[in-house]
Amino acid sequence: MRSIWNGAISFGLVSIPIKLVNATESHSISFRQIHVSDGGRVRYRKVCELDGEEVPSAEIGKGYEEADGSIVPITDADLAQLPLATAKTIEIMSFVPAEEIDPLQMDAAYYLAANGATAAKPYTLLREALKRSRKVAIAKYALRGRERLGMLRVVDDVIAMHGLLWPDEIRAPEGVAPEVTVSVREAELDLADALMATLGEVEMTSLHDDYREAVEALIVAKSGGAFEPTETVVEPAGGQVIDLMAALEKSVRAAKASRGEADQEGEAEAEVTPIRRKASAGAGAGAAAGAAAGAAAPKAVGGKKSTSTAASAKKAAASAATKKKTTTSGKSAAGKSASGAAAAKSTAKTAKTAKTAAAKKTGAAAKKAATPRKRTSA
């Protein structure tokens, strides 16, 4: 990698010669400005406002514009005379825990490479000291005509430096937070925690720029003359009041579906049978089938219907039909049993009445036979 700056790290009385190498690169696709009517390239020309002539880069200098529009010329010689101790030095000022650095201050990143064999040992000493202390170094350095703030830390076996914004360059977040008072329920927080746990972690190396790849494919297609534009339907966003709980639940289901956990959940939901009312067996079975179908329906994600979801819905419908048949048979059997019980009860009551009457008749006959007859006199 090509170095963009040569200097030294000032570590107390230790000086470490280093080279500054860009740690990041931009893969953004840049476009040229063209004349739409004929496709001709549109270029910028640096023209002097006084004489209207184009000025070459060698004749262009620096100047500061005052409030009244007047220009104060500033030459490189003027800037060279300024006291800038960090012109060729990365001066370490202190060591602090990494969590004390606000991520808002992070700027460009660089690798610091040891410049020469003599720099290897002090470079390794600083690297190992940073590793063991688990701290980062705060330093000042000058680059591209201005003094900057930096943070040194260890990445693998290399010392990396992050450019930092000065504290006064960070704007206070005034007027950014919602001005209305909002209360969040525990159930909503629980769903948010469940969503975070379901999404889990991600391999940073697996992330890529989908839009850039689409632009590259577009350029290849248009250059080959095989491009056919298609209209993309963009749904309007914003301005809608949504049910936060429903949105969180749907997000959790979608996240589980993307991880392959939707099928198991769908089967569990399909087994749940709602309580039927005392209306008719057909209506209860229809409600059960509708509930089962509704439970299986949210498993479709991104407009695609999976085979497992259809199987779950079919299984739920079959289960509801079986329960309908069972319920009807059970009711018929119960009706017959009730009729039989009523008949048996009536027969028993009749037999008891007849037995009681016979007993009374027998008792009366016996009593009459036991009573002596009176004789009448002539």
Side-chain angles (χ1 to χ4, degrees), residues 1 57 100 234 250 272 281:
M1 290 184 285
S57 299
E100 291 188 8
V234 180
K250 187 175 181 180
V272 177

Side-chain angles (χ1 to χ4, degrees), residues 184-355:
V184 180
R185 294 179 292 169
E186 289 294 329
E188 294 169 339
L189 284 174
D190 293 340
L191 278 173
D193 291 339
L195 177 59
M196 294 168 62
T198 304
L199 291 175
E201 300 178 355
V202 64
E203 290 290 338
M204 296 299 293
T205 55
S206 65
L207 303 179
H208 57 279
D209 189 348
D210 294 327
Y211 181 75
R212 176 176 59 86
E213 294 177 356
V215 173
E216 290 175 349
L218 169 65
I219 294 173
V220 171
K222 293 203 73 171
S223 62
F227 175 70
E228 295 182 1
T230 56
E231 183 178 355
T232 303
V233 179
V234 180
E235 296 181 358
Q240 296 181 356
V241 179
I242 62 172
D243 184 351
L244 185 57
M245 289 289 291
L248 287 170
E249 290 175 351
K250 187 175 181 180
S251 300
V252 171
R253 289 197 298 267
K256 288 183 177 180
S258 65
R259 289 178 169 268
E261 302 175 7
D263 295 340
Q264 297 177 359
E265 183 183 352
E267 292 178 3
E269 290 183 1
E271 294 176 359
V272 177
T273 304
I275 299 176
R276 298 184 177 88
R277 297 182 180 179
K278 292 183 178 181
S280 61
K299 298 302 118 189
V301 180
K304 295 181 179 180
K305 188 173 181 181
S306 62
T307 305
S308 59
T309 304
S312 300
K314 187 174 180 181
K315 180 180 178 182
S319 177
T322 303
K323 289 184 178 181
K324 175 182 175 182
K325 185 175 180 180
T326 304
T327 304
T328 305
S329 302
K331 286 189 175 181
S332 300
K336 292 180 179 179
S337 299
S339 300
K345 186 176 180 180
S346 177
T347 304
K349 186 175 181 181
T350 303
K352 184 177 180 181
T353 304
K355 185 177 180 180

Side-chain angles (χ1 to χ4, degrees), residues 11-309:
F11 177 32
L13 297 178
V14 178
S15 180
I16 310 172
I18 56 96
K19 297 183 294 184
L20 198 67
V21 178
N22 277 320
T24 62
E25 58 185 357
S26 175
H27 290 168
S28 299
I29 298 175
S30 58
F31 298 100
R32 302 293 187 185
Q33 289 186 332
I34 62 171
H35 191 192
V36 177
S37 61
D38 56 13
R41 174 83 179 273
V42 176
R43 298 180 181 271
Y44 289 101
R45 297 176 60 199
K46 297 179 180 179
V47 178
C48 177
E49 294 182 352
L50 296 179
D51 55 19
E53 295 182 359
E54 186 174 357
V55 181
S57 299
E59 298 181 10
I60 297 177
K62 299 181 181 69
Y64 178 80
E65 184 176 2
E66 296 280 6
D68 57 359
S70 59
I71 302 295
V72 179
I74 303 293
T75 65
D76 293 338
D78 296 333
L79 296 175
Q81 294 176 2
L82 297 178
L84 186 59
T86 58
K88 284 293 183 180
T89 305
I90 299 175
E91 182 181 352
I92 295 178
M93 299 179 295
S94 64
F95 295 88
V96 300
E99 53 269 18
E100 291 188 8
I101 305 300
D102 190 345
L104 285 173
Q105 290 185 258
M106 294 290 187
D107 202 357
Y110 308 94
Y111 290 134
L112 304 182
N115 193 1
T118 58
K121 186 165 185 177
Y123 183 96
T124 305
L125 172 65
L126 176 59
R127 183 191 67 196
E128 296 303 316
L130 289 171
K131 278 185 179 180
R132 189 166 70 173
S133 66
R134 296 183 180 179
K135 293 183 177 181
V136 297
I138 303 300
K140 284 184 177 182
Y141 67 102
L143 182 65
R144 298 189 180 98
R146 55 169 292 196
E147 188 172 51
R148 304 169 188 263
L149 191 64
M151 178 191 75
L152 277 64
R153 69 184 184 98
V154 178
V155 178
D156 295 334
D157 289 332
V158 176
I159 299 176
M161 181 174 69
H162 295 269
L164 299 178
L165 299 176
W166 296 98
D168 58 358
E169 292 180 318
I170 305 297
R171 300 174 62 184
E174 297 177 357
V176 179
E179 297 180 357
V180 297
T181 302
V182 179
S183 60
V184 180
R185 294 179 292 169
E186 289 294 329
E188 294 169 339
L189 284 174
D190 293 340
L191 278 173
D193 291 339
L195 177 59
M196 294 168 62
T198 304
L199 291 175
E201 300 178 355
V202 64
E203 290 290 338
M204 296 299 293
T205 55
S206 65
L207 303 179
H208 57 279
D209 189 348
D210 294 327
Y211 181 75
R212 176 176 59 86
E213 294 177 356
V215 173
E216 290 175 349
L218 169 65
I219 294 173
V220 171
K222 293 203 73 171
S223 62
F227 175 70
E228 295 182 1
T230 56
E231 183 178 355
T232 303
V233 179
V234 180
E235 296 181 358
Q240 296 181 356
V241 179
I242 62 172
D243 184 351
L244 185 57
M245 289 289 291
L248 287 170
E249 290 175 351
K250 187 175 181 180
S251 300
V252 171
R253 289 197 298 267
K256 288 183 177 180
S258 65
R259 289 178 169 268
E261 302 175 7
D263 295 340
Q264 297 177 359
E265 183 183 352
E267 292 178 3
E269 290 183 1
E271 294 176 359
V272 177
T273 304
I275 299 176
R276 298 184 177 88
R277 297 182 180 179
K278 292 183 178 181
S280 61
K299 298 302 118 189
V301 180
K304 295 181 179 180
K305 188 173 181 181
S306 62
T307 305
S308 59
T309 304

Side-chain angles (χ1 to χ4, degrees), residues 361-374:
K361 187 175 182 180
T362 304
K367 184 177 180 181
K368 184 177 181 181
T371 303
R373 296 180 179 180
K374 292 183 179 181

